[in-house]
Short mmCIF file of all heavy atoms in Angstrom, two decimals:
data_model
loop_
_atom_site.label_atom_id
_atom_site.label_comp_id
_atom_site.label_asym_id
_atom_site.label_seq_id
_atom_site.Cartn_x
_atom_site.Cartn_y
_atom_site.Cartn_z
N ASP A 293 0.16 10.03 12.27
CA ASP A 293 0.31 8.60 12.00
C ASP A 293 1.42 8.02 12.89
O ASP A 293 2.59 8.00 12.53
CB ASP A 293 0.64 8.38 10.52
CG ASP A 293 0.63 6.91 10.13
OD1 ASP A 293 0.55 6.04 11.04
OD2 ASP A 293 0.70 6.60 8.93
N ASP A 294 1.03 7.55 14.08
CA ASP A 294 2.01 7.04 15.05
C ASP A 294 2.76 5.82 14.52
O ASP A 294 3.95 5.65 14.80
CB ASP A 294 1.32 6.68 16.37
CG ASP A 294 0.77 7.91 17.08
OD1 ASP A 294 1.28 9.01 16.81
OD2 ASP A 294 -0.17 7.77 17.88
N GLU A 295 2.07 4.99 13.76
CA GLU A 295 2.73 3.78 13.22
C GLU A 295 3.84 4.16 12.26
O GLU A 295 4.91 3.54 12.26
CB GLU A 295 1.70 2.90 12.51
CG GLU A 295 2.28 1.59 12.00
CD GLU A 295 1.23 0.71 11.36
OE1 GLU A 295 0.03 1.07 11.39
OE2 GLU A 295 1.60 -0.36 10.82
N PHE A 296 3.61 5.17 11.45
CA PHE A 296 4.66 5.61 10.52
C PHE A 296 5.83 6.22 11.27
O PHE A 296 6.99 6.01 10.92
CB PHE A 296 4.08 6.63 9.53
CG PHE A 296 5.07 7.10 8.50
CD1 PHE A 296 5.34 6.34 7.38
CD2 PHE A 296 5.75 8.30 8.67
CE1 PHE A 296 6.27 6.77 6.43
CE2 PHE A 296 6.67 8.74 7.73
CZ PHE A 296 6.93 7.97 6.60
N ILE A 297 5.54 6.98 12.32
CA ILE A 297 6.60 7.61 13.10
C ILE A 297 7.54 6.56 13.69
O ILE A 297 8.77 6.76 13.75
CB ILE A 297 5.99 8.49 14.22
CG1 ILE A 297 5.25 9.68 13.60
CG2 ILE A 297 7.06 8.97 15.19
CD1 ILE A 297 4.50 10.53 14.60
N THR A 298 7.00 5.43 14.11
CA THR A 298 7.84 4.38 14.69
C THR A 298 8.78 3.75 13.66
O THR A 298 9.72 3.05 14.04
CB THR A 298 6.98 3.27 15.30
OG1 THR A 298 6.12 2.70 14.28
CG2 THR A 298 6.10 3.80 16.43
N SER A 299 8.55 4.01 12.39
CA SER A 299 9.45 3.49 11.35
C SER A 299 10.76 4.27 11.28
O SER A 299 11.68 3.86 10.58
CB SER A 299 8.75 3.54 9.97
OG SER A 299 7.56 2.80 9.97
N PHE A 300 10.82 5.40 11.99
CA PHE A 300 12.02 6.24 11.99
C PHE A 300 12.50 6.43 13.42
O PHE A 300 12.55 7.55 13.93
CB PHE A 300 11.72 7.58 11.34
CG PHE A 300 11.35 7.50 9.89
CD1 PHE A 300 10.04 7.22 9.51
CD2 PHE A 300 12.30 7.68 8.89
CE1 PHE A 300 9.68 7.13 8.16
CE2 PHE A 300 11.95 7.60 7.55
CZ PHE A 300 10.64 7.32 7.18
N PRO A 301 12.87 5.35 14.10
CA PRO A 301 13.24 5.46 15.52
C PRO A 301 14.53 6.22 15.77
O PRO A 301 14.75 6.71 16.88
CB PRO A 301 13.38 4.00 15.95
CG PRO A 301 13.76 3.27 14.69
CD PRO A 301 13.01 3.97 13.60
N ASP A 302 15.39 6.31 14.76
CA ASP A 302 16.70 6.93 14.96
C ASP A 302 16.84 8.25 14.21
O ASP A 302 17.95 8.68 13.87
CB ASP A 302 17.81 5.97 14.50
CG ASP A 302 17.72 4.63 15.20
OD1 ASP A 302 17.52 4.62 16.42
OD2 ASP A 302 17.85 3.58 14.52
N ILE A 303 15.72 8.91 13.94
CA ILE A 303 15.76 10.11 13.12
C ILE A 303 16.54 11.23 13.83
O ILE A 303 17.31 11.97 13.21
CB ILE A 303 14.33 10.57 12.76
CG1 ILE A 303 14.36 11.59 11.62
CG2 ILE A 303 13.59 11.10 13.95
CD1 ILE A 303 14.73 10.99 10.30
N SER A 304 16.37 11.36 15.14
CA SER A 304 17.10 12.40 15.88
C SER A 304 18.57 12.06 15.98
O SER A 304 19.44 12.95 15.90
CB SER A 304 16.50 12.57 17.28
OG SER A 304 15.17 13.05 17.20
N LEU A 305 18.88 10.79 16.14
CA LEU A 305 20.28 10.36 16.15
C LEU A 305 20.93 10.65 14.81
O LEU A 305 22.06 11.16 14.74
CB LEU A 305 20.37 8.87 16.47
CG LEU A 305 21.76 8.24 16.38
CD1 LEU A 305 22.72 8.88 17.37
CD2 LEU A 305 21.69 6.72 16.60
N GLY A 306 20.23 10.36 13.73
CA GLY A 306 20.77 10.60 12.39
C GLY A 306 21.02 12.08 12.14
O GLY A 306 22.05 12.45 11.57
N ALA A 307 20.08 12.93 12.57
CA ALA A 307 20.25 14.38 12.38
C ALA A 307 21.47 14.88 13.16
O ALA A 307 22.26 15.68 12.65
CB ALA A 307 18.99 15.11 12.83
N SER A 308 21.62 14.41 14.39
CA SER A 308 22.78 14.82 15.21
C SER A 308 24.08 14.34 14.58
O SER A 308 25.08 15.07 14.56
CB SER A 308 22.65 14.25 16.63
OG SER A 308 21.44 14.63 17.22
N LEU A 309 24.07 13.13 14.06
CA LEU A 309 25.28 12.57 13.45
C LEU A 309 25.66 13.31 12.18
O LEU A 309 26.85 13.49 11.89
CB LEU A 309 25.07 11.09 13.15
CG LEU A 309 25.15 10.16 14.37
CD1 LEU A 309 24.63 8.78 14.02
CD2 LEU A 309 26.59 10.07 14.89
N LEU A 310 24.68 13.74 11.41
CA LEU A 310 24.98 14.52 10.21
C LEU A 310 25.74 15.78 10.57
O LEU A 310 26.68 16.18 9.89
CB LEU A 310 23.69 14.86 9.46
CG LEU A 310 23.11 13.75 8.58
CD1 LEU A 310 21.68 14.09 8.19
CD2 LEU A 310 23.96 13.54 7.34
N PHE A 311 25.32 16.41 11.67
CA PHE A 311 26.01 17.63 12.09
C PHE A 311 27.41 17.30 12.61
O PHE A 311 28.38 18.00 12.28
CB PHE A 311 25.22 18.34 13.18
CG PHE A 311 25.85 19.64 13.59
CD1 PHE A 311 25.54 20.82 12.92
CD2 PHE A 311 26.77 19.69 14.61
CE1 PHE A 311 26.14 22.01 13.27
CE2 PHE A 311 27.38 20.88 14.97
CZ PHE A 311 27.06 22.04 14.31
N ILE A 312 27.53 16.26 13.42
CA ILE A 312 28.84 15.90 13.99
C ILE A 312 29.80 15.48 12.88
O ILE A 312 31.00 15.79 12.92
CB ILE A 312 28.69 14.79 15.03
CG1 ILE A 312 27.94 15.33 16.26
CG2 ILE A 312 30.04 14.24 15.45
CD1 ILE A 312 28.61 16.52 16.93
N CYS A 313 29.29 14.79 11.87
CA CYS A 313 30.14 14.43 10.74
C CYS A 313 30.62 15.68 10.00
O CYS A 313 31.75 15.74 9.51
CB CYS A 313 29.39 13.51 9.78
SG CYS A 313 29.20 11.82 10.38
N ALA A 314 29.76 16.69 9.94
CA ALA A 314 30.18 17.96 9.34
C ALA A 314 31.29 18.60 10.18
O ALA A 314 32.21 19.21 9.65
CB ALA A 314 28.99 18.90 9.23
N LYS A 315 31.18 18.43 11.48
CA LYS A 315 32.23 18.96 12.37
C LYS A 315 33.54 18.22 12.18
O LYS A 315 34.62 18.81 12.19
CB LYS A 315 31.77 18.83 13.82
CG LYS A 315 32.79 19.29 14.86
CD LYS A 315 32.27 19.06 16.25
CE LYS A 315 33.31 19.52 17.30
NZ LYS A 315 34.58 18.81 17.20
N ILE A 316 33.45 16.90 11.98
CA ILE A 316 34.66 16.09 11.80
C ILE A 316 35.39 16.48 10.52
O ILE A 316 36.61 16.54 10.45
CB ILE A 316 34.31 14.59 11.79
CG1 ILE A 316 33.73 14.17 13.14
CG2 ILE A 316 35.53 13.74 11.45
CD1 ILE A 316 33.22 12.74 13.17
N SER A 317 34.61 16.72 9.48
CA SER A 317 35.23 16.99 8.19
C SER A 317 34.71 18.28 7.59
O SER A 317 33.52 18.45 7.35
CB SER A 317 34.94 15.84 7.21
OG SER A 317 35.34 16.17 5.91
N HIS A 318 35.60 19.22 7.35
CA HIS A 318 35.20 20.48 6.70
C HIS A 318 34.73 20.22 5.27
O HIS A 318 33.97 21.00 4.71
CB HIS A 318 36.37 21.46 6.70
CG HIS A 318 36.74 21.94 8.06
ND1 HIS A 318 35.88 22.68 8.84
CD2 HIS A 318 37.87 21.77 8.79
CE1 HIS A 318 36.47 22.96 9.99
NE2 HIS A 318 37.68 22.42 9.99
N GLU A 319 35.19 19.09 4.73
CA GLU A 319 34.78 18.77 3.35
C GLU A 319 33.29 18.54 3.28
O GLU A 319 32.61 18.97 2.35
CB GLU A 319 35.53 17.54 2.87
CG GLU A 319 35.26 17.19 1.42
CD GLU A 319 36.06 15.99 0.96
OE1 GLU A 319 36.82 15.44 1.77
OE2 GLU A 319 35.91 15.61 -0.20
N VAL A 320 32.73 17.86 4.31
CA VAL A 320 31.29 17.65 4.36
C VAL A 320 30.57 18.98 4.51
O VAL A 320 29.55 19.24 3.88
CB VAL A 320 30.93 16.70 5.52
CG1 VAL A 320 29.43 16.52 5.61
CG2 VAL A 320 31.60 15.36 5.34
N ALA A 321 31.10 19.83 5.36
CA ALA A 321 30.46 21.13 5.57
C ALA A 321 30.43 21.94 4.28
O ALA A 321 29.45 22.59 3.97
CB ALA A 321 31.21 21.90 6.66
N GLU A 322 31.52 21.90 3.51
CA GLU A 322 31.57 22.62 2.25
C GLU A 322 30.59 22.05 1.25
O GLU A 322 29.98 22.77 0.47
CB GLU A 322 32.99 22.58 1.70
CG GLU A 322 33.97 23.40 2.53
CD GLU A 322 35.42 23.16 2.13
OE1 GLU A 322 35.64 22.37 1.19
OE2 GLU A 322 36.31 23.74 2.76
N ALA A 323 30.41 20.73 1.28
CA ALA A 323 29.46 20.10 0.37
C ALA A 323 28.05 20.60 0.62
O ALA A 323 27.22 20.63 -0.27
CB ALA A 323 29.51 18.58 0.51
N ALA A 324 27.76 20.99 1.86
CA ALA A 324 26.42 21.48 2.19
C ALA A 324 26.36 23.01 2.20
O ALA A 324 25.35 23.59 2.58
CB ALA A 324 26.01 20.95 3.55
N ASN A 325 27.48 23.67 1.82
CA ASN A 325 27.54 25.13 1.81
C ASN A 325 27.18 25.73 3.16
O ASN A 325 26.46 26.73 3.27
CB ASN A 325 26.59 25.68 0.72
CG ASN A 325 27.02 25.28 -0.67
OD1 ASN A 325 28.21 25.32 -0.99
ND2 ASN A 325 26.07 24.88 -1.48
N ALA A 326 27.63 25.06 4.22
CA ALA A 326 27.35 25.54 5.58
C ALA A 326 28.64 25.99 6.23
O ALA A 326 29.69 25.42 6.01
CB ALA A 326 26.70 24.44 6.39
N VAL A 327 28.55 27.03 7.03
CA VAL A 327 29.69 27.51 7.77
C VAL A 327 29.45 27.17 9.24
O VAL A 327 28.60 27.78 9.90
CB VAL A 327 29.88 29.03 7.60
CG1 VAL A 327 31.09 29.51 8.39
CG2 VAL A 327 30.02 29.38 6.13
N LEU A 328 30.20 26.17 9.72
CA LEU A 328 29.96 25.70 11.08
C LEU A 328 30.23 26.78 12.11
O LEU A 328 29.61 26.80 13.18
CB LEU A 328 30.83 24.47 11.36
CG LEU A 328 30.44 23.20 10.58
CD1 LEU A 328 31.32 22.04 11.00
CD2 LEU A 328 28.99 22.86 10.80
N GLY A 329 31.16 27.66 11.80
CA GLY A 329 31.45 28.73 12.75
C GLY A 329 30.24 29.59 13.02
O GLY A 329 29.99 29.99 14.17
N SER A 330 29.46 29.88 12.00
CA SER A 330 28.26 30.70 12.19
C SER A 330 27.21 29.96 13.01
O SER A 330 26.45 30.58 13.76
CB SER A 330 27.68 31.11 10.84
OG SER A 330 27.24 29.97 10.11
N VAL A 331 27.17 28.63 12.87
CA VAL A 331 26.23 27.83 13.66
C VAL A 331 26.62 27.90 15.13
O VAL A 331 25.76 28.09 16.01
CB VAL A 331 26.22 26.36 13.18
CG1 VAL A 331 25.35 25.51 14.09
CG2 VAL A 331 25.72 26.28 11.75
N VAL A 332 27.91 27.77 15.42
CA VAL A 332 28.38 27.86 16.81
C VAL A 332 28.06 29.23 17.39
O VAL A 332 27.59 29.35 18.53
CB VAL A 332 29.89 27.56 16.88
CG1 VAL A 332 30.42 27.84 18.29
CG2 VAL A 332 30.17 26.12 16.50
N ASP A 333 28.31 30.28 16.62
CA ASP A 333 28.02 31.64 17.08
C ASP A 333 26.54 31.81 17.40
O ASP A 333 26.16 32.42 18.42
CB ASP A 333 28.43 32.67 16.03
CG ASP A 333 29.94 32.77 15.86
OD1 ASP A 333 30.66 32.33 16.78
OD2 ASP A 333 30.39 33.27 14.81
N GLU A 334 25.70 31.28 16.53
CA GLU A 334 24.25 31.38 16.74
C GLU A 334 23.83 30.67 18.02
O GLU A 334 23.03 31.18 18.81
CB GLU A 334 23.51 30.79 15.54
CG GLU A 334 22.00 30.73 15.69
CD GLU A 334 21.33 32.08 15.69
OE1 GLU A 334 21.97 33.06 15.23
OE2 GLU A 334 20.18 32.19 16.13
N LEU A 335 24.40 29.49 18.26
CA LEU A 335 24.05 28.74 19.46
C LEU A 335 24.59 29.40 20.72
O LEU A 335 23.95 29.35 21.78
CB LEU A 335 24.58 27.31 19.35
CG LEU A 335 23.95 26.45 18.25
CD1 LEU A 335 24.62 25.09 18.17
CD2 LEU A 335 22.45 26.28 18.47
N GLN A 336 25.75 30.01 20.64
CA GLN A 336 26.30 30.72 21.80
C GLN A 336 25.44 31.91 22.20
O GLN A 336 25.32 32.24 23.38
CB GLN A 336 27.72 31.19 21.50
CG GLN A 336 28.76 30.08 21.48
CD GLN A 336 30.14 30.59 21.09
OE1 GLN A 336 30.27 31.68 20.52
NE2 GLN A 336 31.16 29.82 21.39
N ASN A 337 24.80 32.55 21.23
CA ASN A 337 24.04 33.78 21.48
C ASN A 337 22.54 33.55 21.63
O ASN A 337 21.82 34.49 21.99
CB ASN A 337 24.28 34.78 20.35
CG ASN A 337 25.73 35.24 20.28
OD1 ASN A 337 26.29 35.68 21.28
ND2 ASN A 337 26.33 35.15 19.11
N ASN A 338 22.07 32.34 21.37
CA ASN A 338 20.63 32.07 21.44
C ASN A 338 20.38 30.94 22.43
O ASN A 338 20.57 29.77 22.11
CB ASN A 338 20.11 31.69 20.05
CG ASN A 338 18.59 31.63 20.00
OD1 ASN A 338 17.95 31.10 20.91
ND2 ASN A 338 18.01 32.16 18.94
N PRO A 339 19.97 31.25 23.67
CA PRO A 339 19.77 30.21 24.69
C PRO A 339 18.80 29.11 24.27
O PRO A 339 19.05 27.93 24.53
CB PRO A 339 19.24 31.00 25.90
CG PRO A 339 19.70 32.39 25.68
CD PRO A 339 19.69 32.60 24.19
#
Side-chain angles (χ1 to χ4, degrees):
D293 188 350
D294 293 337
E295 183 177 355
F296 182 81
I297 293 174
T298 59
S299 302
F300 296 84
D302 304 316
I303 195 71
S304 295
L305 174 62
S308 304
L309 284 167
L310 280 166
F311 183 89
I312 292 302
C313 285
K315 177 183 180 299
I316 296 174
S317 171
H318 292 297
E319 185 178 0
V320 178
E322 290 170 2
N325 295 317
V327 180
L328 291 183
S330 64
V331 174
V332 172
D333 291 342
E334 175 69 18
L335 294 176
Q336 287 176 342
N337 295 308
N338 190 317

